[in-house]
Amino acid sequence: MAKNLLIYMDQTGQKPDLSDLTINVNTASIDELLTAINKLMDEPAPGADLPVAEKALLGFGTPAWEANIKKYYWDARWATVRTIIHYNYPAAQENGTSIANAFKHAMFACYHAESFGLSLASQLCTAHEEQPNTITSQMDNWNNSEGFKIWNTGERDFNRIDFLVIGGVRAGEMRWIKYGDNVLTPTH
């Protein structure tokens, strides 16, 4: 994890101020480490990068918007942080076709299910894919669905969910697109 933090700092040019964090990286729990990494990530302007349909589901222009957009980005950040732990910072930020992206989508779906309930989470994930007939949207929808399958097991401990998602990736249950291919490929 320390290596991934160094990569993050090198690529972003940011030197994190961790003075407010009272953790020892050698003895900290996974939740404490995730919180520390989460504090290093920048948050975009609320909702600026979301498709119109997704904004509508989150209540854009209503009193619910502020709370929902905070939950939305919180979910995205936690999914990204968990991806950094298993892969690395560049892979976690990649929005394309990597195996890390498959993991991140499944985790994001689980976080959304917790924050918004399964039905709205599913609608949000579908609305996020503006061009549903593209191969990358099919891949993302596949991986979101795999995340929802894990959520439907009834597991609610995110360390355990993380374990189940990474197990699904290794078992080939998620999908990715190999460089130069235009087909969904199992992640194993």
Side-chain angles (χ1 to χ4, degrees):
M1 184 177 308
K3 180 181 173 187
N4 290 336
L5 282 173
L6 292 174
I7 291 169
Y8 170 81
M9 292 184 312
D10 183 54
Q11 291 184 348
T12 63
Q14 294 182 0
K15 301 269 193 257
D17 176 12
L18 300 179
S19 60
D20 62 328
L21 302 178
T22 56
I23 66 165
N24 178 331
V25 294
N26 297 314
T27 60
S29 70
I30 187 72
D31 288 332
E32 290 169 324
L33 291 170
L34 289 170
T35 299
I37 294 170
N38 198 28
K39 287 186 177 189
L40 300 177
M41 300 173 74
D42 292 328
E43 188 171 311
D49 57 340
L50 299 181
V52 172
E54 200 171 11
K55 287 181 186 180
L57 289 167
L58 289 167
F60 184 72
T62 71
W65 169 254
E66 187 175 333
N68 286 342
I69 198 67
K70 284 180 182 177
K71 286 192 278 186
Y72 180 95
Y73 283 116
W74 186 251
D75 294 347
R77 292 174 107 192
W78 280 110
T80 300
V81 164
R82 287 192 180 270
T83 306
I84 290 168
I85 290 170
H86 290 288
Y87 300 95
N88 58 47
Y89 182 79
Q93 295 302 313
E94 187 267 329
N95 287 320
T97 58
S98 70
I99 292 175
N101 185 263
F103 173 86
K104 183 168 66 172
H105 271 267
M107 287 302 302
F108 186 63
C110 290
Y111 278 111
H112 261 12
E114 179 184 55
S115 293
F116 299 107
L118 188 59
S119 177
L120 181 55
S122 179
Q123 292 174 60
L124 285 166
C125 287
T126 300
H128 187 75
E129 304 306 324
E130 291 181 285
Q131 299 174 329
N133 295 325
T134 65
I135 191 74
T136 54
S137 287
Q138 291 170 13
M139 175 193 63
D140 290 344
N141 285 326
W142 178 287
N143 295 323
N144 292 337
S145 293
E146 289 301 311
F148 292 136
K149 285 179 188 176
I150 290 169
W151 184 258
N152 282 332
T153 66
E155 184 59 63
R156 297 301 180 261
D157 177 293
F158 273 92
N159 290 327
R160 178 78 180 132
I161 289 171
D162 181 298
F163 177 80
L164 295 172
V165 171
I166 200 71
V169 169
R170 291 178 180 155
E173 295 166 4
M174 310 300 167
R175 296 294 182 264
W176 72 301
I177 303 167
K178 291 181 184 178
Y179 181 76
D181 286 349
N182 201 27
V183 295
L184 297 181
T185 304
T187 51
H188 59 348

